[in-house]
Each structure stands twice: as C-alpha cells, then as structure tokens.
Short mmCIF file of all heavy atoms in Angstrom, two decimals:
data_model
loop_
_atom_site.label_atom_id
_atom_site.label_comp_id
_atom_site.label_asym_id
_atom_site.label_seq_id
_atom_site.Cartn_x
_atom_site.Cartn_y
_atom_site.Cartn_z
N LEU A 1 7.31 -14.99 5.05
CA LEU A 1 5.87 -14.75 4.91
C LEU A 1 5.46 -13.37 5.42
O LEU A 1 4.67 -12.66 4.75
CB LEU A 1 5.08 -15.83 5.65
CG LEU A 1 5.09 -17.24 5.07
CD1 LEU A 1 4.44 -18.21 6.03
CD2 LEU A 1 4.38 -17.26 3.72
N LEU A 2 5.98 -12.96 6.55
CA LEU A 2 5.54 -11.69 7.15
C LEU A 2 5.95 -10.48 6.32
O LEU A 2 5.11 -9.57 6.13
CB LEU A 2 6.06 -11.57 8.57
CG LEU A 2 5.44 -12.61 9.55
CD1 LEU A 2 6.13 -12.59 10.91
CD2 LEU A 2 3.93 -12.34 9.71
N PRO A 3 7.15 -10.42 5.77
CA PRO A 3 7.46 -9.28 4.87
C PRO A 3 6.58 -9.25 3.62
O PRO A 3 6.21 -8.19 3.12
CB PRO A 3 8.93 -9.53 4.48
CG PRO A 3 9.48 -10.29 5.64
CD PRO A 3 8.36 -11.19 6.07
N ARG A 4 6.21 -10.43 3.13
CA ARG A 4 5.29 -10.48 1.98
C ARG A 4 3.92 -9.91 2.34
O ARG A 4 3.29 -9.20 1.55
CB ARG A 4 5.14 -11.91 1.47
CG ARG A 4 6.39 -12.43 0.75
CD ARG A 4 6.31 -13.94 0.57
NE ARG A 4 5.15 -14.34 -0.27
CZ ARG A 4 4.69 -15.57 -0.37
NH1 ARG A 4 5.26 -16.54 0.34
NH2 ARG A 4 3.67 -15.84 -1.14
N LEU A 5 3.45 -10.24 3.54
CA LEU A 5 2.15 -9.71 4.00
C LEU A 5 2.21 -8.19 4.12
O LEU A 5 1.29 -7.46 3.71
CB LEU A 5 1.79 -10.35 5.33
CG LEU A 5 0.51 -9.86 6.00
CD1 LEU A 5 -0.69 -9.95 5.05
CD2 LEU A 5 0.23 -10.68 7.26
N LEU A 6 3.31 -7.67 4.67
CA LEU A 6 3.48 -6.22 4.77
C LEU A 6 3.51 -5.57 3.38
O LEU A 6 2.93 -4.52 3.16
CB LEU A 6 4.77 -5.91 5.55
CG LEU A 6 5.10 -4.41 5.72
CD1 LEU A 6 4.01 -3.72 6.54
CD2 LEU A 6 6.46 -4.25 6.40
N ARG A 7 4.19 -6.21 2.44
CA ARG A 7 4.31 -5.68 1.09
C ARG A 7 2.95 -5.62 0.40
O ARG A 7 2.64 -4.64 -0.27
CB ARG A 7 5.30 -6.56 0.29
CG ARG A 7 5.67 -6.06 -1.07
CD ARG A 7 6.90 -6.82 -1.56
NE ARG A 7 7.19 -6.46 -2.95
CZ ARG A 7 7.02 -7.28 -4.01
NH1 ARG A 7 6.54 -8.51 -3.78
NH2 ARG A 7 7.31 -6.91 -5.22
N VAL A 8 2.13 -6.66 0.54
CA VAL A 8 0.82 -6.65 -0.06
C VAL A 8 -0.06 -5.58 0.58
O VAL A 8 -0.80 -4.89 -0.10
CB VAL A 8 0.16 -8.05 0.09
CG1 VAL A 8 -1.32 -8.01 -0.28
CG2 VAL A 8 0.88 -9.08 -0.79
N SER A 9 0.05 -5.43 1.91
CA SER A 9 -0.72 -4.37 2.59
C SER A 9 -0.34 -2.97 2.08
O SER A 9 -1.22 -2.13 1.85
CB SER A 9 -0.47 -4.45 4.10
OG SER A 9 -0.83 -5.70 4.64
N GLU A 10 0.96 -2.77 1.88
CA GLU A 10 1.40 -1.47 1.39
C GLU A 10 0.90 -1.25 -0.06
O GLU A 10 0.57 -0.13 -0.41
CB GLU A 10 2.94 -1.40 1.42
CG GLU A 10 3.50 -0.05 1.03
CD GLU A 10 4.98 0.05 1.26
OE1 GLU A 10 5.60 -0.94 1.60
OE2 GLU A 10 5.51 1.18 1.11
N ALA A 11 0.89 -2.31 -0.87
CA ALA A 11 0.39 -2.18 -2.23
C ALA A 11 -1.06 -1.77 -2.28
O ALA A 11 -1.47 -0.90 -3.08
CB ALA A 11 0.61 -3.49 -2.99
N TYR A 12 -1.87 -2.37 -1.39
CA TYR A 12 -3.28 -2.01 -1.34
C TYR A 12 -3.46 -0.56 -0.92
O TYR A 12 -4.26 0.18 -1.54
CB TYR A 12 -4.01 -2.93 -0.35
CG TYR A 12 -5.42 -2.45 -0.05
CD1 TYR A 12 -6.41 -2.53 -0.99
CD2 TYR A 12 -5.72 -1.85 1.20
CE1 TYR A 12 -7.69 -2.07 -0.73
CE2 TYR A 12 -7.00 -1.38 1.45
CZ TYR A 12 -7.98 -1.50 0.50
OH TYR A 12 -9.24 -1.04 0.75
N LEU A 13 -2.70 -0.10 0.06
CA LEU A 13 -2.80 1.28 0.50
C LEU A 13 -2.41 2.22 -0.64
O LEU A 13 -3.07 3.26 -0.89
CB LEU A 13 -1.92 1.53 1.73
CG LEU A 13 -1.91 2.96 2.25
CD1 LEU A 13 -3.30 3.42 2.66
CD2 LEU A 13 -0.94 3.08 3.46
N ALA A 14 -1.34 1.88 -1.37
CA ALA A 14 -0.89 2.73 -2.46
C ALA A 14 -1.95 2.82 -3.56
O ALA A 14 -2.19 3.89 -4.13
CB ALA A 14 0.42 2.18 -3.05
N LEU A 15 -2.62 1.72 -3.85
CA LEU A 15 -3.66 1.73 -4.84
C LEU A 15 -4.80 2.66 -4.46
O LEU A 15 -5.38 3.38 -5.30
CB LEU A 15 -4.20 0.30 -5.08
CG LEU A 15 -3.28 -0.67 -5.83
CD1 LEU A 15 -3.85 -2.08 -5.77
CD2 LEU A 15 -3.08 -0.23 -7.27
N LYS A 16 -5.19 2.63 -3.18
CA LYS A 16 -6.27 3.49 -2.71
C LYS A 16 -5.81 4.95 -2.69
O LYS A 16 -6.63 5.85 -2.93
CB LYS A 16 -6.71 3.04 -1.31
CG LYS A 16 -7.48 1.73 -1.32
CD LYS A 16 -8.70 1.84 -2.24
CE LYS A 16 -9.40 0.53 -2.45
NZ LYS A 16 -10.53 0.67 -3.38
N GLU A 17 -4.55 5.22 -2.40
CA GLU A 17 -4.06 6.60 -2.46
C GLU A 17 -4.13 7.12 -3.90
O GLU A 17 -4.58 8.27 -4.13
CB GLU A 17 -2.61 6.66 -1.98
CG GLU A 17 -2.43 6.48 -0.48
CD GLU A 17 -0.98 6.44 -0.05
OE1 GLU A 17 -0.16 5.87 -0.79
OE2 GLU A 17 -0.67 6.99 1.01
N ILE A 18 -3.76 6.30 -4.86
CA ILE A 18 -3.82 6.72 -6.26
C ILE A 18 -5.27 6.92 -6.68
O ILE A 18 -5.59 7.91 -7.36
CB ILE A 18 -3.15 5.64 -7.16
CG1 ILE A 18 -1.64 5.60 -6.85
CG2 ILE A 18 -3.39 5.94 -8.62
CD1 ILE A 18 -0.92 4.43 -7.52
N GLU A 19 -6.14 6.03 -6.27
CA GLU A 19 -7.56 6.14 -6.65
C GLU A 19 -8.20 7.42 -6.12
O GLU A 19 -8.95 8.10 -6.85
CB GLU A 19 -8.34 4.93 -6.12
CG GLU A 19 -9.82 4.98 -6.40
CD GLU A 19 -10.59 3.84 -5.77
OE1 GLU A 19 -9.95 2.93 -5.13
OE2 GLU A 19 -11.83 3.80 -5.90
N HIS A 20 -7.92 7.80 -4.88
CA HIS A 20 -8.61 8.92 -4.25
C HIS A 20 -7.82 10.22 -4.23
O HIS A 20 -8.41 11.29 -4.38
CB HIS A 20 -9.03 8.52 -2.82
CG HIS A 20 -10.03 7.43 -2.78
ND1 HIS A 20 -11.37 7.66 -2.94
CD2 HIS A 20 -9.93 6.09 -2.59
CE1 HIS A 20 -12.05 6.52 -2.87
NE2 HIS A 20 -11.18 5.53 -2.65
N VAL A 21 -6.52 10.15 -4.06
CA VAL A 21 -5.70 11.37 -3.95
C VAL A 21 -5.04 11.69 -5.29
O VAL A 21 -4.75 12.84 -5.55
CB VAL A 21 -4.66 11.21 -2.83
CG1 VAL A 21 -3.87 12.49 -2.66
CG2 VAL A 21 -5.33 10.83 -1.51
N GLY A 22 -4.77 10.66 -6.08
CA GLY A 22 -4.12 10.89 -7.36
C GLY A 22 -2.72 10.39 -7.46
O GLY A 22 -2.19 10.21 -8.54
N GLN A 23 -2.12 10.08 -6.31
CA GLN A 23 -0.74 9.55 -6.31
C GLN A 23 -0.48 8.87 -4.99
O GLN A 23 -1.08 9.18 -3.95
CB GLN A 23 0.27 10.68 -6.53
CG GLN A 23 0.29 11.73 -5.45
CD GLN A 23 1.30 12.84 -5.70
OE1 GLN A 23 1.86 12.93 -6.80
NE2 GLN A 23 1.56 13.67 -4.73
N ALA A 24 0.45 7.92 -5.04
CA ALA A 24 0.87 7.23 -3.81
C ALA A 24 1.89 8.06 -3.09
O ALA A 24 2.74 8.73 -3.71
CB ALA A 24 1.43 5.85 -4.16
N SER A 25 1.84 8.04 -1.76
CA SER A 25 2.80 8.78 -0.96
C SER A 25 3.91 7.83 -0.49
O SER A 25 3.85 6.62 -0.69
CB SER A 25 2.09 9.43 0.22
OG SER A 25 1.43 8.45 1.02
N ALA A 26 4.89 8.41 0.13
CA ALA A 26 6.02 7.63 0.64
C ALA A 26 6.04 7.67 2.17
O ALA A 26 5.34 8.47 2.79
CB ALA A 26 7.34 8.17 0.09
N GLY A 27 6.79 6.76 2.74
CA GLY A 27 6.94 6.74 4.20
C GLY A 27 6.26 5.57 4.87
O GLY A 27 5.82 4.62 4.20
N ASP A 28 6.19 5.62 6.20
CA ASP A 28 5.60 4.54 6.95
C ASP A 28 4.09 4.43 6.68
O ASP A 28 3.42 5.39 6.31
CB ASP A 28 5.83 4.78 8.45
CG ASP A 28 7.31 4.71 8.80
OD1 ASP A 28 8.07 4.08 8.06
OD2 ASP A 28 7.69 5.30 9.85
N LEU A 29 3.58 3.21 6.90
CA LEU A 29 2.19 2.95 6.58
C LEU A 29 1.19 3.70 7.47
O LEU A 29 0.17 4.18 7.01
CB LEU A 29 1.91 1.43 6.68
CG LEU A 29 2.55 0.57 5.59
CD1 LEU A 29 2.15 -0.88 5.78
CD2 LEU A 29 2.18 1.03 4.21
#
C-alpha cells in the first residue's frame, strides 16, 4: 500500500510540473 501511495503522490506532482513548467522533472520528490 505505501509504495502505491508514494507512486500516486509522484504522479500528481509530475502532472503539476507539466501543467506549469512544461515538463516533469526527475529525482526525489
């Protein structure tokens, strides 16, 4: 369960990076 929660959190952050910056970045959250 916990890795799935981390994965969903990372997906949300990536979506916001794409929306505002234009692309998702790599590395730690």
Side-chain angles (χ1 to χ4, degrees):
L1 290 171
L2 292 172
R4 287 167 62 194
L5 177 53
L6 179 63
R7 187 165 173 252
V8 169
S9 301
E10 185 172 7
Y12 169 71
L13 178 60
L15 288 171
K16 289 302 172 183
E17 288 176 322
I18 293 170
E19 178 185 357
H20 293 279
V21 183
Q23 63 181 12
S25 57
D28 294 337
L29 291 182

